[in-house]
Amino acid sequence: MKRDNPDAETLVCPSCGSTEIAYERDAVLRADAVAIRDGALILAGPSVPQPLDDARLACSACGTELEGIEWDAERPLHVPEGRSPLDDAKALDALAEKLNEPGCWNGGDVCELAADLLRCTGRHIEDEPYPEDHPS
Ligand SMILES: [Zn+2]
């Protein structure tokens, strides 16, 4: 594998060797992915590095999906300061525990907890919730 930048892993199709790799996310965003650096995708053209969650990478030439792009190892690096990293199973257990507490649960509380737990697994959360006094 060719490496121009020691910090970036150049994306190459394992099937045909093409470096034209497409990046898709929830069928909304589509762009050419050229490299991975510091746990973020580098896209061709004007773009900002994209967090890797839910990314699908496929060869533009032959359609082979690139698998084994490991960012689980990256996740602990993105845990909020002062918090302990959680693995996925522990985060789900904590969420289940909250929902199974006696009495009804509040959707807002559950969402806040879910966002907090996701951050502790190192996942990127793009947006903040609406402020309490938001008109909508
Ligand atoms: Zn290919």
Side-chain angles (χ1 to χ4, degrees):
M1 186 173 287
K2 185 178 144 221
R3 283 181 175 236
D4 295 326
N5 178 333
D7 295 331
E9 186 173 343
T10 304
L11 296 170
V12 177
C13 174
S15 179
C16 73
S18 169
T19 55
E20 287 180 31
I21 307 300
Y23 156 87
E24 288 184 53
R25 181 182 209 123
D26 295 330
V28 174
L29 282 173
R30 191 181 159 88
D32 291 328
V34 293
I36 291 178
R37 187 183 307 139
D38 296 333
L41 273 176
I42 310 302
L43 303 177
S47 63
V48 293
Q50 301 293 306
L52 286 165
D53 279 340
D54 299 327
R56 284 179 297 282
L57 298 175
C59 176
S60 297
C62 74
T64 297
E65 204 158 312
L66 277 70
E67 289 175 17
I69 294 185
E70 262 316 318
W71 42 84
D72 276 359
E74 294 281 340
R75 292 198 198 286
L77 306 177
H78 303 286
V79 171
E81 258 188 73
R83 306 298 304 277
S84 302
L86 282 180
D87 65 33
D88 294 2
K90 285 206 179 78
L92 288 174
D93 284 347
L95 191 57
E97 190 182 314
K98 174 74 177 175
L99 293 172
N100 288 326
E101 278 175 359
C104 300
W105 43 267
N106 174 292
D109 290 349
V110 170
C111 283
E112 267 183 40
L113 177 67
D116 182 59
L117 290 169
L118 286 168
R119 287 192 174 103
C120 286
T121 67
R123 286 177 171 80
H124 177 76
I125 306 292
E126 190 75 37
D127 297 318
E128 296 295 324
Y130 280 130
E132 292 287 335
D133 58 356
H134 194 278
S136 77

